Structure formats: C-alpha cells, structure tokens
Coordinates of all heavy atoms in Angstrom, one line a residue:
M1030 N -28.5 17.1 30.4 CA -27.7 15.9 30.6 C -27.3 15.3 29.2 O -26.3 14.6 29.1 CB -28.5 14.9 31.4 CG -28.7 15.4 32.9 SD -27.2 15.8 33.8 CE -26.5 14.2 34.1
K1031 N -28.2 15.5 28.2 CA -27.9 15.0 26.9 C -26.6 15.5 26.4 O -25.8 14.8 25.8 CB -29.0 15.2 25.9 CG -30.3 14.5 26.3 CD -31.4 14.8 25.3 CE -32.7 14.1 25.6 NZ -33.7 14.5 24.7
S1032 N -26.4 16.8 26.6 CA -25.2 17.5 26.0 C -23.9 16.9 26.7 O -22.9 16.8 26.1 CB -25.2 19.0 26.2 OG -25.4 19.3 27.5
I1033 N -24.0 16.6 28.0 CA -22.9 16.1 28.7 C -22.5 14.7 28.1 O -21.4 14.3 27.9 CB -23.2 16.0 30.2 CG1 -23.3 17.4 30.8 CG2 -22.1 15.2 30.9 CD1 -23.7 17.4 32.2
S1034 N -23.6 13.9 27.9 CA -23.3 12.6 27.3 C -22.7 12.7 25.9 O -21.8 11.9 25.6 CB -24.7 11.8 27.2 OG -25.2 11.7 28.5
V1035 N -23.2 13.6 25.1 CA -22.6 13.7 23.8 C -21.1 14.2 23.8 O -20.3 13.6 23.1 CB -23.4 14.8 23.0 CG1 -22.7 15.1 21.7 CG2 -24.8 14.2 22.7
I1036 N -20.8 15.1 24.7 CA -19.4 15.5 24.9 C -18.6 14.4 25.4 O -17.4 14.1 24.9 CB -19.3 16.7 25.8 CG1 -19.9 18.0 25.1 CG2 -17.9 17.0 26.2 CD1 -19.9 19.2 25.9
G1037 N -19.1 13.6 26.3 CA -18.4 12.4 26.8 C -18.1 11.4 25.7 O -17.0 10.9 25.6
L1038 N -19.1 11.2 24.9 CA -18.9 10.2 23.8 C -17.9 10.7 22.8 O -17.1 10.0 22.2 CB -20.2 9.9 23.1 CG -21.2 9.1 23.9 CD1 -22.6 9.0 23.1 CD2 -20.7 7.7 24.1
I1039 N -17.9 12.0 22.5 CA -16.9 12.6 21.5 C -15.5 12.5 22.1 O -14.6 12.1 21.4 CB -17.3 14.1 21.2 CG1 -18.6 14.1 20.4 CG2 -16.1 14.8 20.5 CD1 -19.1 15.5 20.2
L1040 N -15.4 12.8 23.4 CA -14.0 12.7 24.0 C -13.6 11.2 24.0 O -12.4 10.9 23.8 CB -14.1 13.2 25.4 CG -14.2 14.8 25.5 CD1 -14.3 15.2 27.0 CD2 -12.9 15.4 24.9
L1041 N -14.5 10.3 24.3 CA -14.1 8.9 24.3 C -13.7 8.4 22.9 O -12.7 7.7 22.8 CB -15.3 8.1 24.8 CG -15.1 6.6 24.9 CD1 -14.0 6.3 26.0 CD2 -16.4 5.9 25.2
A1042 N -14.4 8.9 21.9 CA -14.0 8.5 20.5 C -12.7 9.1 20.1 O -11.9 8.4 19.5 CB -15.1 9.0 19.5
V1043 N -12.4 10.3 20.5 CA -11.1 10.9 20.2 C -10.0 10.2 20.9 O -9.0 9.9 20.3 CB -11.1 12.4 20.6 CG1 -9.7 13.0 20.6 CG2 -12.1 13.2 19.7
S1044 N -10.2 9.9 22.2 CA -9.2 9.1 22.9 C -9.0 7.7 22.3 O -7.8 7.3 22.3 CB -9.5 9.0 24.4 OG -10.7 8.2 24.6
A1045 N -10.0 7.1 21.9 CA -9.9 5.7 21.3 C -9.1 5.9 20.0 O -8.2 5.0 19.7 CB -11.2 5.1 21.1
L1046 N -9.4 6.9 19.2 CA -8.7 7.1 17.9 C -7.2 7.4 18.2 O -6.3 6.8 17.5 CB -9.3 8.3 17.2 CG -8.6 8.7 15.9 CD1 -8.8 7.5 14.8 CD2 -9.1 10.0 15.4
L1047 N -6.9 8.2 19.2 CA -5.5 8.5 19.5 C -4.8 7.3 20.0 O -3.6 7.1 19.7 CB -5.4 9.7 20.5 CG -5.8 11.1 19.9 CD1 -5.8 12.1 21.0 CD2 -4.9 11.5 18.8
F1048 N -5.5 6.5 20.8 CA -4.9 5.3 21.4 C -4.6 4.3 20.2 O -3.5 3.7 20.2 CB -5.8 4.7 22.4 CG -5.2 3.5 23.1 CD1 -4.2 3.6 24.0 CD2 -5.7 2.2 22.8 CE1 -3.7 2.5 24.6 CE2 -5.1 1.1 23.4 CZ -4.1 1.2 24.3
Y1049 N -5.5 4.2 19.3 CA -5.3 3.3 18.2 C -4.2 3.7 17.3 O -3.3 2.9 16.9 CB -6.6 3.2 17.3 CG -6.4 2.4 16.1 CD1 -6.4 1.0 16.2 CD2 -6.3 3.0 14.8 CE1 -6.2 0.2 15.0 CE2 -6.2 2.2 13.7 CZ -6.1 0.8 13.8 OH -6.0 0.1 12.7
L1050 N -4.0 5.0 17.1 CA -3.0 5.5 16.2 C -1.6 5.4 16.9 O -0.6 5.3 16.2 CB -3.2 7.0 15.9 CG -4.4 7.3 15.0 CD1 -4.7 8.8 14.8 CD2 -4.3 6.6 13.6
T1051 N -1.5 5.4 18.2 CA -0.2 5.4 18.9 C 0.2 4.0 19.3 O 1.4 3.7 19.4 CB -0.2 6.3 20.1 OG1 -1.2 5.9 21.0 CG2 -0.4 7.7 19.7
T1052 N -0.7 3.1 19.6 CA -0.3 1.8 20.1 C -0.8 0.6 19.3 O -0.4 -0.5 19.6 CB -0.9 1.6 21.5 OG1 -2.3 1.6 21.5 CG2 -0.4 2.7 22.5
D1053 N -1.7 0.7 18.3 CA -2.2 -0.4 17.6 C -3.0 -1.3 18.5 O -3.1 -2.5 18.2 CB -1.2 -1.1 16.8 CG -0.6 -0.2 15.7 OD1 -1.3 0.6 15.2 OD2 0.6 -0.4 15.4
F1054 N -3.5 -0.9 19.6 CA -4.3 -1.6 20.6 C -3.5 -2.8 21.2 O -4.1 -3.9 21.4 CB -5.6 -2.1 20.0 CG -6.7 -1.1 20.0 CD1 -7.3 -0.7 18.8 CD2 -7.1 -0.5 21.1 CE1 -8.2 0.3 18.8 CE2 -8.1 0.5 21.1 CZ -8.7 0.9 19.9
T1055 N -2.2 -2.7 21.3 CA -1.4 -3.7 22.0 C -1.2 -3.3 23.4 O -0.7 -2.2 23.7 CB -0.1 -4.0 21.2 OG1 0.6 -2.8 21.2 CG2 -0.4 -4.5 19.8
V1056 N -1.4 -4.2 24.3 CA -1.2 -3.9 25.8 C 0.2 -3.7 26.1 O 0.5 -2.9 27.0 CB -1.8 -5.0 26.6 CG1 -1.7 -4.8 28.1 CG2 -3.3 -5.2 26.3
E1057 N 1.1 -4.3 25.4 CA 2.5 -4.2 25.7 C 3.1 -2.8 25.5 O 4.1 -2.4 26.1 CB 3.4 -5.2 24.9 CG 3.1 -6.6 25.2 CD 2.0 -7.2 24.4 OE1 1.6 -6.6 23.3 OE2 1.3 -8.1 24.8
K1058 N 2.4 -2.0 24.6 CA 2.9 -0.7 24.3 C 2.3 0.4 25.1 O 2.6 1.6 24.9 CB 2.6 -0.4 22.8 CG 3.4 -1.3 21.8 CD 3.2 -0.8 20.4 CE 4.0 -1.7 19.5 NZ 3.8 -1.3 18.1
I1059 N 1.5 0.1 26.1 CA 0.9 1.1 27.0 C 2.0 1.5 28.0 O 2.6 0.7 28.7 CB -0.3 0.5 27.7 CG1 -1.4 0.2 26.8 CG2 -0.8 1.5 28.8 CD1 -2.6 -0.4 27.4
T1060 N 2.2 2.8 28.0 CA 3.2 3.4 28.9 C 2.5 4.4 29.9 O 1.3 4.6 29.9 CB 4.2 4.2 28.1 OG1 3.6 5.3 27.4 CG2 4.9 3.3 27.1
L1061 N 3.4 4.9 30.8 CA 2.9 5.9 31.8 C 2.2 7.1 31.1 O 1.3 7.7 31.6 CB 4.0 6.3 32.7 CG 3.7 7.3 33.8 CD1 2.6 6.6 34.8 CD2 4.9 7.7 34.6
S1062 N 2.7 7.5 29.9 CA 2.2 8.7 29.3 C 0.7 8.4 28.8 O -0.1 9.3 28.8 CB 3.0 9.1 28.1 OG 3.0 8.0 27.1
H1063 N 0.4 7.1 28.5 CA -1.0 6.8 28.1 C -1.9 6.9 29.3 O -3.0 7.4 29.2 CB -1.0 5.4 27.5 CG -0.4 5.3 26.2 ND1 0.9 4.7 26.1 CD2 -0.8 5.6 25.0 CE1 1.2 4.7 24.8 NE2 0.2 5.3 24.1
V1064 N -1.4 6.4 30.5 CA -2.2 6.5 31.7 C -2.5 8.0 32.1 O -3.6 8.4 32.4 CB -1.5 5.8 32.9 CG1 -2.3 6.0 34.2 CG2 -1.4 4.3 32.5
M1065 N -1.4 8.8 31.9 CA -1.6 10.3 32.2 C -2.5 10.9 31.2 O -3.3 11.7 31.6 CB -0.2 11.0 32.1 CG 0.7 10.6 33.3 SD 2.2 11.5 33.4 CE 2.8 11.8 31.7
G1066 N -2.5 10.4 30.0 CA -3.5 11.0 29.0 C -4.9 10.6 29.3 O -5.8 11.4 29.2
V1067 N -5.1 9.4 29.8 CA -6.5 8.9 30.2 C -6.9 9.8 31.4 O -8.1 10.3 31.4 CB -6.5 7.4 30.6 CG1 -7.8 7.1 31.3 CG2 -6.3 6.6 29.3
M1068 N -6.0 10.0 32.4 CA -6.4 10.8 33.5 C -6.7 12.3 33.1 O -7.7 12.9 33.6 CB -5.3 10.8 34.6 CG -5.2 9.4 35.2 SD -3.8 9.2 36.3 CE -3.9 10.6 37.3
A1069 N -5.9 12.8 32.2 CA -6.2 14.2 31.7 C -7.5 14.2 30.9 O -8.3 15.2 31.1 CB -5.1 14.6 30.7
G1070 N -7.8 13.2 30.2 CA -9.1 13.1 29.5 C -10.3 13.1 30.4 O -11.3 13.8 30.2
I1071 N -10.1 12.3 31.5 CA -11.2 12.3 32.5 C -11.4 13.7 33.2 O -12.5 14.1 33.4 CB -10.9 11.2 33.6 CG1 -11.0 9.8 33.0 CG2 -11.8 11.3 34.8 CD1 -10.5 8.7 33.8
G1072 N -10.2 14.3 33.5 CA -10.3 15.6 34.1 C -11.0 16.6 33.2 O -11.8 17.4 33.6
I1073 N -10.6 16.6 31.9 CA -11.2 17.6 31.0 C -12.7 17.3 30.9 O -13.5 18.2 30.8 CB -10.5 17.5 29.6 CG1 -9.1 18.0 29.7 CG2 -11.4 18.2 28.5 CD1 -8.3 17.8 28.4
G1074 N -13.1 16.0 30.8 CA -14.5 15.6 30.8 C -15.3 16.1 32.0 O -16.4 16.6 31.9
L1075 N -14.7 16.0 33.2 CA -15.3 16.5 34.4 C -15.5 18.0 34.4 O -16.5 18.5 34.8 CB -14.5 16.0 35.6 CG -14.6 14.5 35.9 CD1 -13.7 14.2 37.0 CD2 -16.1 14.1 36.2
I1076 N -14.4 18.7 33.9 CA -14.5 20.2 33.8 C -15.6 20.6 32.9 O -16.4 21.4 33.2 CB -13.1 20.7 33.4 CG1 -12.1 20.6 34.5 CG2 -13.3 22.2 33.0 CD1 -10.7 20.9 34.1
F1077 N -15.6 20.0 31.7 CA -16.7 20.4 30.7 C -18.1 20.0 31.3 O -19.0 20.8 31.2 CB -16.5 19.6 29.4 CG -15.4 20.3 28.5 CD1 -14.7 19.5 27.7 CD2 -15.2 21.6 28.5 CE1 -13.7 20.0 26.8 CE2 -14.2 22.2 27.7 CZ -13.5 21.4 26.9
G1078 N -18.2 18.8 31.9 CA -19.5 18.4 32.5 C -19.9 19.4 33.5 O -21.1 19.7 33.6
G1079 N -19.0 19.8 34.4 CA -19.3 20.7 35.5 C -19.8 22.1 34.9 O -20.8 22.6 35.4
M1080 N -19.1 22.6 33.9 CA -19.5 23.9 33.3 C -20.9 23.8 32.7 O -21.7 24.6 32.8 CB -18.4 24.3 32.3 CG -17.1 24.7 33.0 SD -15.9 25.5 31.9 CE -16.1 24.7 30.4
I1081 N -21.1 22.7 31.9 CA -22.4 22.6 31.2 C -23.5 22.4 32.2 O -24.6 22.9 32.1 CB -22.3 21.4 30.2 CG1 -21.4 21.8 29.1 CG2 -23.7 21.1 29.7 CD1 -21.1 20.7 28.1
G1082 N -23.2 21.6 33.3 CA -24.2 21.4 34.3 C -24.6 22.7 35.0 O -25.7 23.0 35.3
Y1083 N -23.6 23.5 35.3 CA -23.8 24.8 36.0 C -24.6 25.7 35.1 O -25.6 26.3 35.6 CB -22.4 25.4 36.3 CG -22.5 26.8 36.9 CD1 -22.8 26.9 38.3 CD2 -22.3 27.9 36.2 CE1 -22.9 28.1 38.9 CE2 -22.4 29.2 36.8 CZ -22.7 29.2 38.2 OH -22.8 30.5 38.8
V1084 N -24.3 25.7 33.8 CA -25.1 26.6 32.9 C -26.5 26.1 32.8 O -27.5 26.9 32.8 CB -24.4 26.7 31.5 CG1 -25.3 27.3 30.5 CG2 -23.1 27.4 31.6
S1085 N -26.7 24.8 32.6 CA -28.1 24.3 32.4 C -28.9 24.4 33.7 O -30.1 24.7 33.6 CB -28.0 22.8 32.0 OG -27.5 22.0 33.0
K1086 N -28.3 24.3 34.9 CA -29.0 24.5 36.1 C -29.4 26.0 36.3 O -30.5 26.2 36.7 CB -28.1 24.1 37.3 CG -28.9 24.1 38.6 CD -28.0 23.6 39.7 CE -28.8 23.6 41.0 NZ -28.1 23.0 42.1
G1087 N -28.5 26.9 35.9 CA -28.9 28.3 35.9 C -30.1 28.6 35.0 O -30.9 29.4 35.4
R1088 N -30.1 28.0 33.8 CA -31.2 28.3 32.9 C -32.5 27.7 33.5 O -33.5 28.3 33.4 CB -30.9 27.6 31.6 CG -29.8 28.4 30.8 CD -29.6 27.7 29.4 NE -28.5 28.3 28.7 CZ -28.0 27.8 27.6 NH1 -28.4 26.6 27.2 NH2 -27.0 28.4 27.0
A1089 N -32.4 26.5 34.1 CA -33.6 25.9 34.7 C -34.1 26.8 35.8 O -35.4 26.9 35.9 CB -33.3 24.5 35.1
I1090 N -33.3 27.3 36.6 CA -33.7 28.1 37.8 C -34.4 29.4 37.3 O -35.4 29.8 37.8 CB -32.5 28.4 38.7 CG1 -32.1 27.2 39.4 CG2 -32.9 29.6 39.7 CD1 -30.8 27.3 40.3
K1091 N -33.8 30.0 36.2 CA -34.4 31.2 35.7 C -35.7 30.9 35.0 O -36.7 31.7 35.2 CB -33.4 31.8 34.6 CG -32.2 32.5 35.2 CD -31.3 33.1 34.1 CE -30.1 33.7 34.7 NZ -29.1 34.1 33.6
A1092 N -35.8 29.8 34.3 CA -37.1 29.5 33.7 C -38.2 29.2 34.8 O -39.4 29.6 34.6 CB -37.0 28.2 32.8
E1093 N -37.8 28.6 35.9 CA -38.8 28.3 37.0 C -39.2 29.6 37.6 O -40.4 29.8 37.9 CB -38.1 27.4 38.0 CG -39.0 27.0 39.2 CD -40.3 26.3 38.8 OE1 -40.2 25.5 37.8 OE2 -41.3 26.4 39.4
A1094 N -38.3 30.5 37.8 CA -38.6 31.8 38.3 C -39.6 32.6 37.4 O -40.6 33.2 37.9 CB -37.4 32.7 38.6
K1095 N -39.4 32.5 36.1 CA -40.3 33.2 35.2 C -41.7 32.5 35.2 O -42.7 33.2 35.2 CB -39.8 33.1 33.8 CG -38.6 34.0 33.5 CD -38.2 33.9 32.0 CE -37.0 34.8 31.8 NZ -36.6 34.8 30.4
R1096 N -41.8 31.2 35.4 CA -43.1 30.5 35.5 C -43.8 31.0 36.7 O -45.0 31.2 36.7 CB -42.9 29.0 35.5 CG -42.8 28.4 34.1 CD -42.7 26.9 34.1 NE -41.4 26.7 33.6 CZ -40.5 25.8 34.1 NH1 -40.9 25.0 35.1 NH2 -39.3 25.6 33.6
R1097 N -43.1 31.0 37.9 CA -43.7 31.5 39.1 C -44.2 32.9 39.0 O -45.3 33.2 39.5 CB -42.7 31.4 40.3 CG -42.6 30.0 40.9 CD -41.8 30.0 42.2 NE -40.8 29.0 42.1 CZ -39.6 29.1 42.4 NH1 -39.1 30.3 42.9 NH2 -38.7 28.1 42.4
E1098 N -43.4 33.8 38.4 CA -43.8 35.1 38.2 C -45.0 35.3 37.3 O -46.0 36.0 37.6 CB -42.7 36.0 37.6 CG -42.9 37.4 37.5 CD -41.8 38.2 36.9 OE1 -40.7 37.6 36.8 OE2 -42.0 39.4 36.6
F1099 N -45.1 34.5 36.3 CA -46.2 34.5 35.4 C -47.5 34.0 36.1 O -48.6 34.6 36.0 CB -46.0 33.6 34.2 CG -47.1 33.5 33.2 CD1 -47.3 34.6 32.4 CD2 -47.8 32.4 33.0 CE1 -48.4 34.6 31.5 CE2 -48.9 32.4 32.1 CZ -49.1 33.5 31.3
K1100 N -47.4 33.0 36.9 CA -48.6 32.5 37.7 C -49.0 33.6 38.7 O -50.2 33.8 38.8 CB -48.2 31.2 38.4 CG -48.1 30.0 37.5 CD -47.8 28.7 38.3 CE -47.7 27.5 37.4 NZ -47.4 26.3 38.2
Q1101 N -48.1 34.2 39.3 CA -48.4 35.3 40.3 C -49.1 36.4 39.5 O -50.1 37.0 40.0 CB -47.2 35.8 41.0 CG -47.4 36.9 42.0 CD -48.3 36.4 43.2 OE1 -48.2 35.2 43.5 NE2 -49.0 37.3 43.8
L1102 N -48.6 36.8 38.4 CA -49.3 37.9 37.6 C -50.7 37.5 37.2 O -51.6 38.3 37.1 CB -48.4 38.2 36.4 CG -47.1 39.0 36.7 CD1 -46.3 39.1 35.4 CD2 -47.4 40.3 37.3
Q1103 N -50.9 36.2 36.8 CA -52.2 35.7 36.4 C -53.2 35.8 37.6 O -54.3 36.3 37.5 CB -52.2 34.3 36.0 CG -51.7 34.1 34.5 CD -51.7 32.7 34.1 OE1 -51.5 31.7 34.9 NE2 -51.9 32.4 32.8
K1104 N -52.7 35.5 38.8 CA -53.6 35.6 40.0 C -53.9 37.0 40.3 O -55.1 37.3 40.6 CB -52.8 35.0 41.2 CG -52.8 33.5 41.2 CD -52.0 33.0 42.4 CE -51.8 31.5 42.4 NZ -51.1 31.0 43.6
E1105 N -52.9 37.9 40.2 CA -53.2 39.3 40.4 C -54.2 39.9 39.3 O -55.1 40.7 39.7 CB -51.9 40.1 40.3 CG -51.0 39.9 41.5 CD -49.7 40.6 41.4 OE1 -49.5 41.4 40.4 OE2 -48.8 40.4 42.3
K1106 N -54.1 39.4 38.1 CA -55.0 39.9 37.1 C -56.4 39.4 37.4 O -57.4 40.2 37.2 CB -54.5 39.3 35.7 CG -55.4 39.7 34.6 CD -55.0 39.0 33.3 CE -56.0 39.3 32.2 NZ -55.7 38.5 31.0
E1107 N -56.6 38.2 37.8 CA -57.9 37.7 38.2 C -58.5 38.5 39.3 O -59.7 38.8 39.3 CB -57.8 36.2 38.5 CG -57.6 35.3 37.4 CD -57.4 33.8 37.8 OE1 -57.5 33.5 39.0 OE2 -57.1 33.0 36.9
E1108 N -57.7 38.8 40.3 CA -58.2 39.6 41.5 C -58.6 41.0 41.0 O -59.6 41.5 41.4 CB -57.1 39.7 42.5 CG -56.8 38.4 43.3 CD -55.7 38.5 44.2 OE1 -55.1 39.6 44.4 OE2 -55.3 37.5 44.8
L1109 N -57.8 41.6 40.1 CA -58.2 42.9 39.6 C -59.4 42.9 38.8 O -60.3 43.8 38.9 CB -57.0 43.5 38.8 CG -55.8 43.9 39.6 CD1 -54.7 44.4 38.6 CD2 -56.1 45.1 40.5
E1110 N -59.6 41.8 38.0 CA -60.8 41.7 37.2 C -62.1 41.5 38.1 O -63.1 42.1 37.9 CB -60.7 40.5 36.3 CG -59.8 40.7 35.1 CD -59.6 39.5 34.2 OE1 -60.1 38.4 34.6 OE2 -59.0 39.7 33.1
K1111 N -61.9 40.8 39.2 CA -63.0 40.6 40.2 C -63.4 42.0 40.8 O -64.5 42.3 41.0 CB -62.7 39.6 41.3 CG -62.7 38.2 40.8 CD -62.3 37.2 41.9 CE -62.2 35.8 41.4 NZ -61.7 34.9 42.4
K1112 N -62.3 42.7 41.2 CA -62.6 44.0 41.8 C -63.2 45.0 40.8 O -64.1 45.7 41.2 CB -61.3 44.6 42.3 CG -60.7 44.0 43.5 CD -59.4 44.6 44.0 CE -58.9 43.9 45.2 NZ -57.6 44.5 45.6
A1113 N -62.8 44.9 39.6 CA -63.4 45.8 38.5 C -64.9 45.4 38.3 O -65.7 46.3 38.2 CB -62.6 45.7 37.2
L1114 N -65.2 44.1 38.4 CA -66.6 43.7 38.2 C -67.4 44.2 39.4 O -68.5 44.6 39.2 CB -66.6 42.2 38.1 CG -67.9 41.5 37.8 CD1 -68.4 42.0 36.4 CD2 -67.8 40.0 37.8
E1115 N -66.9 44.1 40.6 CA -67.6 44.6 41.8 C -67.9 46.1 41.7 O -69.0 46.6 42.0 CB -66.8 44.3 43.1 CG -66.9 43.0 43.6 CD -66.2 42.8 44.9 OE1 -66.0 43.8 45.7 OE2 -65.7 41.7 45.2
I1116 N -66.9 46.8 41.2 CA -67.0 48.3 41.1 C -68.1 48.6 40.0 O -68.9 49.5 40.2 CB -65.6 48.9 40.7 CG1 -64.7 48.9 41.9 CG2 -65.8 50.4 40.2 CD1 -63.3 49.3 41.6
E1117 N -68.1 47.8 38.9 CA -69.1 48.1 37.9 C -70.5 47.8 38.4 O -71.5 48.5 38.1 CB -68.8 47.2 36.7 CG -67.6 47.6 35.9 CD -67.9 49.0 35.2 OE1 -69.0 49.3 34.8 OE2 -66.9 49.8 35.2
K1118 N -70.6 46.7 39.2 CA -71.9 46.4 39.8 C -72.4 47.5 40.8 O -73.6 47.9 40.7 CB -71.9 45.1 40.6 CG -71.8 43.9 39.7 CD -71.8 42.6 40.6 CE -71.7 41.4 39.7 NZ -71.6 40.1 40.6
R1119 N -71.5 48.0 41.6 CA -71.8 49.1 42.5 C -72.2 50.4 41.7 O -73.2 51.1 42.1 CB -70.7 49.4 43.5 CG -70.5 48.4 44.5 CD -69.3 48.8 45.4 NE -69.0 47.7 46.3 CZ -68.0 47.7 47.1 NH1 -67.1 48.7 47.0 NH2 -67.7 46.6 47.9
K1120 N -71.5 50.6 40.7 CA -71.8 51.8 39.9 C -73.1 51.7 39.2 O -73.9 52.6 39.2 CB -70.7 51.9 38.8 CG -70.8 53.2 38.0 CD -69.6 53.3 37.0 CE -69.7 54.5 36.2 NZ -68.6 54.6 35.2
A1121 N -73.5 50.5 38.7 CA -74.8 50.3 38.1 C -75.9 50.4 39.2 O -77.0 51.0 38.9 CB -74.9 48.9 37.5
E1122 N -75.7 50.0 40.4 CA -76.7 50.1 41.5 C -76.9 51.6 41.8 O -78.0 52.1 42.0 CB -76.2 49.4 42.7 CG -76.4 47.9 42.6 CD -75.9 47.2 43.9 OE1 -75.8 47.9 45.0 OE2 -75.7 46.0 43.8
L1123 N -75.8 52.3 41.9 CA -75.9 53.8 42.2 C -76.6 54.5 41.1 O -77.5 55.4 41.4 CB -74.5 54.4 42.4 CG -73.8 54.0 43.7 CD1 -72.4 54.5 43.7 CD2 -74.6 54.5 44.9
E1124 N -76.4 54.2 39.9 CA -77.1 54.9 38.8 C -78.6 54.5 38.8 O -79.4 55.4 38.5 CB -76.4 54.4 37.4 CG -75.1 55.0 37.2 CD -74.5 54.6 35.9 OE1 -75.1 53.9 35.1 OE2 -73.3 55.0 35.6
R1125 N -78.9 53.3 39.1 CA -80.3 52.9 39.2 C -81.0 53.6 40.3 O -82.1 54.1 40.2 CB -80.4 51.4 39.5 CG -81.4 50.7 38.6 CD -81.4 49.2 38.8 NE -80.1 48.6 39.0 CZ -79.8 47.6 40.0 NH1 -80.8 47.1 40.7 NH2 -78.6 47.2 40.2
E1126 N -80.3 53.8 41.5 CA -80.9 54.5 42.6 C -81.1 56.0 42.3 O -82.0 56.6 42.7 CB -80.0 54.3 43.8 CG -80.1 52.9 44.4 CD -79.2 52.8 45.6 OE1 -78.6 53.8 46.1 OE2 -79.1 51.6 46.1
N1127 N -80.1 56.5 41.5 CA -80.2 57.9 41.2 C -81.3 58.2 40.2 O -82.0 59.3 40.2 CB -78.9 58.5 40.6 CG -77.8 58.6 41.6 OD1 -78.1 58.7 42.8 ND2 -76.6 58.6 41.2
K1128 N -81.6 57.2 39.3 CA -82.7 57.4 38.3 C -84.0 57.2 39.0 O -85.0 57.9 38.6 CB -82.5 56.4 37.2 CG -81.4 56.7 36.2 CD -81.3 55.7 35.1 CE -80.2 56.0 34.2 NZ -80.0 55.1 33.1
N1129 N -84.2 56.3 39.9 CA -85.4 56.1 40.6 C -85.3 56.4 42.1 O -85.2 55.5 43.0 CB -85.8 54.6 40.5 CG -86.0 54.2 39.0 OD1 -86.5 55.0 38.3 ND2 -85.7 53.0 38.7
P1130 N -85.2 57.6 42.4 CA -85.1 58.0 43.9 C -86.4 57.7 44.6 O -87.5 58.1 44.1 CB -84.8 59.5 43.9 CG -85.3 60.0 42.6 CD -85.2 58.8 41.6
Q1131 N -86.4 57.1 45.7 CA -87.6 56.7 46.5 C -87.6 57.7 47.7 O -86.9 57.5 48.6 CB -87.6 55.3 46.9 CG -87.7 54.4 45.7 CD -87.6 52.9 46.2 OE1 -87.4 52.6 47.4 NE2 -87.7 52.0 45.3
I1132 N -88.4 58.7 47.6 CA -88.5 59.7 48.7 C -89.6 59.4 49.6 O -90.7 59.0 49.3 CB -88.6 61.1 48.1 CG1 -87.4 61.4 47.2 CG2 -88.7 62.1 49.2 CD1 -87.5 62.7 46.5

C-alpha cells in the first residue's frame, strides 16, 4: 500500500505542476480540457493502483504458501525424528536381548 500512496502523490504533484504551468491557478481559466485531464489522471492512478495491488497480493499469497509448506515440513521432520528414535530404541533392546539370551 505504501507504493500506491507514493505513486498517487507523484501523480498529484505532476498534475499540480501542469495545472500551475497552464492556468496560473486562476479559476476562470479552467476549461473542459482540464476536467478531462483530471479524469484521465484519476483513471491512470486507478490502473497503476490496481496493477500494483494485484502484484503485491500475488506475492503475499506465494509467501504465505511457502510459510505453510515450511511448517508442514517441520512437522514431518519431527515425526520422522520420533520414528527414528523409536527404531533406535527397539534396535538397542534387540541387541541387548541377543547378548543376554535367557534360556
């Protein structure tokens, strides 16, 4: 959202500069072409804002998917470590029993 605000401020500054250069800020000199320019500026701002919003939302969704996948992999790793520990315990018990057979 910060980038949208910055682009909006830049477009506003450019439009204010162009308005100042063409009319000297006098209301009597405002014509239909100025109104059309303001409407075009709003349209361009909305288009840029929409594109930037779409891109930033896509990045946020991808980042969230990566976070979820990382958490899932961590859970799977913990489960595998627990299973490996159980296997090691069983292996140690079997070795103990093989060394000390009770007949």
